Amino acid sequence: MTTSPNPSPAQQHGAPASARGPLRLVLLIVGLLIALTAIGGATLGGIFSFGVTTNHESLVHERFERIVVDIPMGSVTIREDARLEYPSVRIESENQGFFPGSSATTKTSNGVLQITAERPFPLAWTGGGENNITITLPTRSGDVLEQVRVDNEVGDIRIETHIDSVDVESRVGDVRVSALQSAATSSIRVATEIGSVSIEAVPGSYRILADSDFGKVSVSGLTNDPSEDRIIDVVSQIGDVSVRAER
């Protein structure tokens, strides 16, 4: 199901209607194989577990305007807390299985807070290298992050903060983005292969593109204006997509 003002180029030049049924079936099978691979890796990692779980939390004293998270496996949470004076980064690393991955590292440079972890080889069926990231930001009047970019293979993603731009790419996992009240919000882009997507945006007009091959699509409380510069572009191959105004 797709919600957009006009057919996309892919829709205009894509497969004929008679071929879409088999194409959707192929996409469903591929998606299920990806999910089984991820689940299988976690299962084998638990059976042959001889690694450790470590927790590390640190404060970030350098100023930054952008956040970049690039990890192969693990959840990502970005939130706010009015009690904090400085941003906090918590990393829970689980390294176990035959091919344990590396723990995530944090660095701040040129206004960018960057959290990365190497992708273990092979990623599938290893059960190792999972990093669960929690970034907590102080709630300050007038402060708006310029950009948050998250790229992971497996894991849920939750972003709830004052933000201008969000860019998320994931293969397996649910994604939830809540752009807190800020007139600066300009773009929200989310793409996942398997998982539901929920977007809460500042009320107003956007160019809205919402699509799911196998799932329900709903848009409410926002004005869809094809001429708007502000854009919400959300797609899930297998999973429901919800786009609504922040309550």
Side-chain angles (χ1 to χ4, degrees):
M1 181 181 293
T2 303
T3 299
S4 62
N6 296 299
S8 66
Q11 292 171 317
Q12 294 173 353
H13 304 290
S18 60
R20 289 176 188 166
L23 178 60
R24 285 177 175 267
L25 179 59
V26 170
L27 287 173
L28 177 60
I29 294 172
V30 171
L32 290 176
L33 287 175
I34 293 172
L36 288 174
T37 299
I39 295 170
T43 302
L44 287 184
I47 295 173
F48 300 102
S49 176
F50 37 83
V52 296
T53 299
T54 60
N55 294 286
H56 176 72
E57 186 167 2
S58 61
L59 298 179
V60 181
H61 295 276
E62 298 88 349
R63 183 172 179 81
F64 58 87
E65 292 78 34
R66 293 183 293 156
I67 297 175
V68 175
V69 180
D70 187 355
I71 60 174
M73 297 179 67
S75 64
V76 178
T77 300
I78 301 175
R79 61 190 183 187
E80 293 188 4
D81 189 334
R83 298 169 296 179
L84 290 185
E85 182 178 359
Y86 294 102
S88 168
V89 177
R90 178 180 175 85
I91 301 175
E92 180 184 282
S93 300
E94 297 182 6
N95 288 305
Q96 60 186 22
F98 289 107
F99 300 93
S102 63
S103 297
T105 59
T106 302
K107 72 174 183 178
T108 306
S109 177
N110 299 321
V112 180
L113 172 63
Q114 189 169 14
I115 302 173
T116 59
E118 295 181 1
R119 282 165 164 73
F121 180 81
L123 175 62
W125 307 105
T126 67
E130 181 175 347
N131 291 277
N132 298 311
I133 312 296
T134 301
I135 303 173
T136 308
L137 307 172
T139 303
R140 293 173 181 165
S141 176
D143 279 3
V144 177
L145 281 174
E146 288 184 8
Q147 182 188 43
V148 168
R149 189 172 80 240
V150 178
D151 185 356
N152 79 343
E153 301 284 344
V154 181
D156 294 340
I157 298 171
R158 301 286 184 271
I159 300 172
E160 186 174 0
T161 185
H162 294 79
I163 196 167
D164 178 27
S165 174
V166 178
D167 190 347
V168 174
E169 289 192 17
S170 177
R171 295 185 69 184
V172 180
D174 295 336
V175 179
R176 179 172 181 175
V177 177
S178 179
L180 302 180
Q181 285 284 356
S182 168
T185 304
S186 62
S187 73
I188 299 175
R189 302 177 187 269
V190 176
T192 185
E193 295 182 18
I194 302 175
S196 64
V197 180
S198 175
I199 306 295
E200 290 187 358
V202 178
S205 298
Y206 297 84
R207 181 156 45 102
I208 301 174
L209 305 170
D211 183 26
S212 176
D213 290 319
F214 294 92
K216 299 177 181 178
V217 176
S218 64
V219 178
S220 62
L222 300 171
T223 301
N224 190 358
D225 184 350
S227 65
E228 266 289 344
D229 292 330
R230 300 194 300 174
I231 184 170
I232 298 176
D233 188 351
V234 184
V235 60
S236 173
Q237 291 186 14
I238 302 176
D240 295 339
V241 172
S242 172
V243 179
R244 62 181 183 270
E246 183 197 11
R247 298 174 182 174

